[in-house]
Amino acid sequence: MMGPNAHSYCLLRARKSLPYVLRTIHQSHSKHTRDSGRRRVVVTGLGVVSPVGCNVEAAWQTILSGQSKVGRLVGETYDKLPCRVAATIDTNDIDLEKCFSKTELKTMARATAFALIAAKEALSRASWMPAVEDETACQRTGVAIGMGMVDLMDICETNEALKKGYNRVSPFFVPRILPNMPAGQLSIRYGFRGPNHAVSTACATGAHAIGDAFRFIQHGDADVMVCGGAEACISPLGIAGFCRLRALSTAFNDEPTASSRPFDERRDGFVMGEGSAIFVLEELQHALRRGAPIYGEILGYGLSGDASHLTAPREDGTGALLAMQRALADGGVTVADIGYVNAHATSTPIGDAIEARAIRTLFGEHTRSLAVSSTKGAHGHLLGAAGNLEALFVVMACRHGLLPPTVNLHKVTDDMAGLHYVANSSELWEGKHRRRVALKNSFGFGGTNACLCIGEYSE
C-alpha cells in the first residue's frame, strides 16, 4: 500500500501529466474502429416519458421550440424549502393508474413504471416483440436499465408504517426500492433472457447503461439490448437533500421557467426532473435482416473517474477530457469529425464552467466548427435518466440535422467564452457534406464520467 507521501506524489504527477494523457490516449484505443471487424450497433427503437413530452415526436418538438417545462412545486412541505421548482411529468400526458392495474402499481416504483411505458414505445418503434416461444430471439435480447436514486418517500412512509406494526410493511417494499427493478420488470414482462443489467452511477447512469449495452452487443453477448435509465425522486426529502448540498437553483422560485439555465451567467444550480428514455440497440446485420428502422448508430463509449471530490468535478476538467477522448478513440473518429457536443451542463456555476474548459481543451482549433448545447434548460436534470434522455435528442439531431437549443442562455461568463453555444433557438446542423457525428457527456457525483459517440447511420 502507498503511504501518504506516495499518494500525494501520484496526485501531483497526475495533474502535471494532462498533456501526456492527451497525446497518448488515442494510441491505446485507436485500433478499435469499425474497420477492425467489431459488430456495429445501431439504434432501432426510442421511447420517452419526460417533462417535455411522453412520446418521441412530442418531446423532440418541445425541445426544438425552446420551451421550458419547469414548474412550481406546490404544497406546504415545499413552501419551507429554498428550492420550490422542478420539472415533473404532466399527468395529462401520463396517468399511471390507466397504464397499470392497482396490483401492478403496488409492485413497482414510479420510476419503474416510467421505464416500462418508455420501453413499450421503443419496442413498438423497433418492431421487436418476439414471442416467448421464440427461444433464440428472447435469449439474444437483453436489458440494461439504471436508476440514480430510489424513492426516498417510499422508504420514509414504510418506516412510519413499521412503527404502527410489522404487518403494515408492504411485501413489495424491497422490490420497489431496488435499483435493478426497472430492468427486472421489463425482462419479466417481455421474456427477454439475455444480459439483465442495472447501472447506478448517479447522474451518469443513463449514459453508462447505453454504453454498457453497446458493448454487450459488440462482444456478442446479445443481438438486441433494451437500455436506458429512469428516475422519479422528486419529493420534499429529495429536494431538501440536494438543497443542503447547495446544488439546486433557488433564485427563480417565482419564475420557474427561467430557473434551469445551463452556461448562462445567472445560473445558480440545477433543477430536478423525472422520467425515462429507453433505447433499442441492435447489431447492424440483425437489424438489416429483419428490415428494422435505423435511427442512428452508437460509435464509441468512453468512461473515466475524477478521483478527486464527492460532488465537484476536477478543476482542470481531466475527467471529462478522458471520457471524451476515450469515446472518440473507441469510435475511431477524431475531433475534426464531431459537429456537436450535447453537454452534461446542469446549470451549476462550477460544473458548467469546467465542462466548457474541457471541451475547449479537447477541440482546440476545431471549436470554430463545433456547436454545443444542453437541453436541461427545457427539462431540468433527470439525474439517473439524464444521459439517456439527452442521448435520445442527440440521435434525433443526427437524424434530422437540427441542433437542440439551450433554453435561458443569454450571456456566458468570460471563463466559458470561445464556444458556439446553441442558445434559445434550434439551428441547422451545417456541413451536411459529411456524416453528422456528436458526443454526449454525462457526469455523476463521486467523479464518475461517461461519454457516448453517436452518429448518423451510414451504410
Side-chain angles (χ1 to χ4, degrees), residues 298-422:
I298 308 297
L299 301 175
Y301 175 40
L303 309 86
S304 73
D306 280 3
S308 176
H309 191 270
L310 283 177
T311 59
R314 288 179 63 103
E315 289 186 7
D316 62 6
T318 308
L321 273 168
L322 288 172
M324 289 188 286
Q325 283 272 5
R326 289 166 180 169
L328 291 173
D330 188 48
V333 299
T334 69
V335 291
D337 298 313
I338 304 299
Y340 171 56
V341 173
N342 184 289
H344 179 67
T346 61
S347 190
T348 59
I350 294 176
D352 292 13
I354 291 175
E355 184 175 9
R357 184 180 309 144
I359 293 170
R360 284 199 310 267
T361 301
L362 175 62
F363 283 88
E365 63 181 20
H366 294 289
T367 56
R368 290 174 296 184
S369 57
L370 181 72
V372 178
S373 72
S374 168
T375 57
K376 289 186 176 76
H379 52 66
H381 185 13
L382 272 66
L383 307 179
N388 47 308
L389 175 63
E390 293 152 26
L392 184 150
F393 298 136
V394 174
V395 170
M396 297 297 281
C398 290
R399 180 177 173 84
H400 296 291
L402 293 170
L403 297 170
T406 304
V407 177
N408 296 318
L409 176 54
H410 301 293
K411 183 180 179 181
V412 298
T413 49
D414 291 341
D415 58 347
M416 294 194 301
L419 293 173
H420 171 58
Y421 299 99
V422 182

Side-chain angles (χ1 to χ4, degrees), residues 47-71:
V48 63
V49 173
S50 78
V52 292
C54 293
N55 63 70
V56 172
E57 281 80 12
W60 178 235
Q61 290 306 315
T62 301
I63 288 296
L64 292 179
S65 71
Q67 299 177 60
S68 168
K69 291 299 183 178
V70 177

Side-chain angles (χ1 to χ4, degrees), residues 59-347:
W60 178 235
Q61 290 306 315
T62 301
I63 288 296
L64 292 179
S65 71
Q67 299 177 60
S68 168
K69 291 299 183 178
V70 177
R72 185 176 285 105
L73 289 169
V74 179
E76 183 179 348
T77 50
Y78 290 113
D79 292 341
K80 302 174 183 178
L81 301 177
C83 173
R84 297 188 292 280
V85 297
T88 58
I89 303 299
D90 189 335
T91 54
N92 291 321
D93 290 338
I94 292 292
D95 184 346
L96 295 185
E97 292 184 356
K98 292 182 180 178
C99 297
F100 302 96
S101 69
K102 290 183 179 180
T103 301
E104 287 175 321
L105 288 175
K106 287 180 181 179
T107 71
M108 65 179 73
R110 184 174 166 86
T112 298
F114 289 158
L116 291 176
I117 294 169
K120 182 178 180 180
E121 180 187 8
L123 289 165
S124 176
R125 287 178 174 275
S127 297
W128 186 246
M129 296 280 190
V132 176
E133 295 80 12
D134 189 341
E135 291 285 337
T136 300
C138 289
Q139 290 180 14
R140 297 294 297 170
T141 301
V143 179
I145 302 176
M147 184 190 301
M149 287 176 57
V150 298
D151 186 344
L152 300 179
M153 291 307 296
D154 198 356
I155 296 173
C156 291
E157 289 167 2
T158 302
N159 186 58
E160 290 301 312
L162 178 60
K163 292 177 182 178
K164 298 177 182 178
Y166 162 75
N167 290 330
R168 297 291 186 93
V169 176
S170 168
F172 299 112
F173 168 62
V174 171
R176 283 201 306 262
I177 65 168
L178 290 176
N180 73 311
M181 276 302 158
Q185 289 260 19
L186 182 64
S187 174
I188 292 167
R189 179 165 294 232
Y190 293 99
F192 298 150
R193 299 194 292 281
N196 190 314
H197 183 57
V199 182
S200 187
T201 49
C203 305
T205 295
H208 276 139
I210 294 171
D212 290 352
F214 162 68
R215 290 198 171 162
F216 287 146
I217 295 174
Q218 277 193 326
H219 290 278
D221 296 310
D223 294 323
V224 181
M225 289 293 300
V226 185
C227 57
E231 200 74 80
C233 58
I234 297 173
S235 67
L237 181 56
I239 296 289
F242 280 111
C243 280
R244 291 292 289 164
L245 277 175
R246 298 188 177 184
L248 298 184
S249 172
T250 60
F252 299 90
N253 289 327
D254 295 328
E255 193 181 359
T257 58
S259 56
S260 184
R261 43 196 322 115
F263 297 121
D264 187 75
E265 68 172 356
R266 296 178 65 198
R267 68 192 188 277
D268 72 318
F270 71 80
V271 173
M272 287 180 68
E274 63 179 1
S276 179
I278 299 296
F279 282 51
V280 177
L281 300 187
E282 193 164 345
E283 191 274 324
L284 175 60
Q285 295 306 315
H286 187 275
L288 292 176
R289 281 195 299 271
R290 67 182 193 86
I294 297 179
Y295 294 89
E297 183 172 1
I298 308 297
L299 301 175
Y301 175 40
L303 309 86
S304 73
D306 280 3
S308 176
H309 191 270
L310 283 177
T311 59
R314 288 179 63 103
E315 289 186 7
D316 62 6
T318 308
L321 273 168
L322 288 172
M324 289 188 286
Q325 283 272 5
R326 289 166 180 169
L328 291 173
D330 188 48
V333 299
T334 69
V335 291
D337 298 313
I338 304 299
Y340 171 56
V341 173
N342 184 289
H344 179 67
T346 61
S347 190

